[in-house]
Amino acid sequence: MTCLNGKPSVSMEVDMMRKKEKEEPRGTEGVLNMDASMEGSLIFKDPVNLQINGDFKGKLDTKGNLTIGEHADVQADIVGENIVIAGRVVGQIKASKELNIVPPADVKGDIQTPRLGVTPGAVLEGKCRMLSTQEKSTVKAMLNIDEIARYLEVETTIVKQWADGRKIPAVREEDGWKFDRDKIDKWIVDEKVKL
């Protein structure tokens, strides 16, 4: 997989999506295996079955199933739905549905999930926050202003102007603007329709 500035190119993503559509009937998900060393941000808007077996450094934001293989070395903040970790992970982890840590996993970082499974032999070092039933639906990929600027591929000052002018969905918090990725994705689609 070739990346530009740590991100897959748009044409590469489209080619991958087209290839997937041709190879698989609708409603089924293939497995995307990553055995190479990569650095950057991987953001998946649609559900995938992603398995990382190599080294990864940066940020992972997935929907669907994410598996960190036993030989993987990941230094990243991770947001996902169903996550299984068997390798080494350093970073914050948010799983909106379930997180399973299985041997020989070595996880260092705080985690947040409604369901957690830690199999004997796996190592977990960090704080764990189990979500209540009410909170389960609120685990979202909230991005700060720098992350949303990278996601949208625009300057931070432009995003700040949009947020200040209420032109983009944003929430003002003590430490600055926060952006719900799902609302941003909808905003992108709505804005394209208007153009």
Side-chain angles (χ1 to χ4, degrees), residues 112 131 133-142:
Q112 182 177 328
L131 302 175
T133 306
Q134 223 173 17
E135 293 174 308
K136 286 180 186 179
S137 62
T138 63
V139 174
K140 295 181 181 176
M142 294 299 285

Side-chain angles (χ1 to χ4, degrees), residues 98-184:
E98 185 172 6
L99 171 63
N100 287 293
I101 303 173
V102 299
D106 183 4
V107 177
K108 290 181 176 60
D110 297 342
I111 59 175
Q112 182 177 328
T113 184
R115 294 185 58 168
L116 174 65
V118 181
T119 305
V123 176
L124 170 60
E125 182 182 322
K127 295 177 186 174
C128 176
R129 179 160 184 252
M130 300 290 289
L131 302 175
S132 68
T133 306
Q134 223 173 17
E135 293 174 308
K136 286 180 186 179
S137 62
T138 63
V139 174
K140 295 181 181 176
M142 294 299 285
L143 305 173
N144 65 33
I145 199 160
D146 293 326
E147 292 168 330
I148 201 68
R150 282 192 301 271
Y151 183 67
L152 296 173
E153 297 179 354
V154 298
E155 295 293 322
T156 304
T157 54
I158 293 172
V159 175
K160 185 175 181 334
Q161 289 172 356
W162 290 344
D164 290 340
R166 303 285 187 210
K167 294 179 181 178
I168 189 171
V171 176
R172 182 81 168 158
E173 294 186 358
E174 289 179 17
D175 57 344
W177 289 106
K178 297 291 181 186
F179 304 85
D180 177 334
R181 195 184 83 182
D182 292 336
K183 289 181 181 178
I184 294 298

Side-chain angles (χ1 to χ4, degrees), residues 1 3 6-9 12-14 16-17 20 29-34 38 40-52 56 59-68 77-81 141 143 151 181-182 185:
M1 177 182 263
C3 294
K7 296 181 183 178
S9 68
M12 190 175 81
E13 289 177 17
V14 170
M16 287 171 36
M17 288 170 38
K20 181 179 175 184
E29 296 176 4
V31 176
L32 178 58
N33 277 314
M34 293 179 48
M38 291 184 65
S41 294
L42 280 179
I43 300 172
F44 292 89
K45 295 177 184 177
D46 296 317
V48 295
N49 285 324
L50 175 62
Q51 182 163 349
I52 297 179
F56 181 82
K59 179 181 176 178
L60 283 169
D61 194 341
T62 68
K63 290 186 179 180
N65 301 309
L66 170 64
T67 302
I68 308 293
D77 289 338
I78 301 171
V79 176
E81 293 177 335
L143 305 173
Y151 183 67
R181 195 184 83 182
D182 292 336
D185 290 342

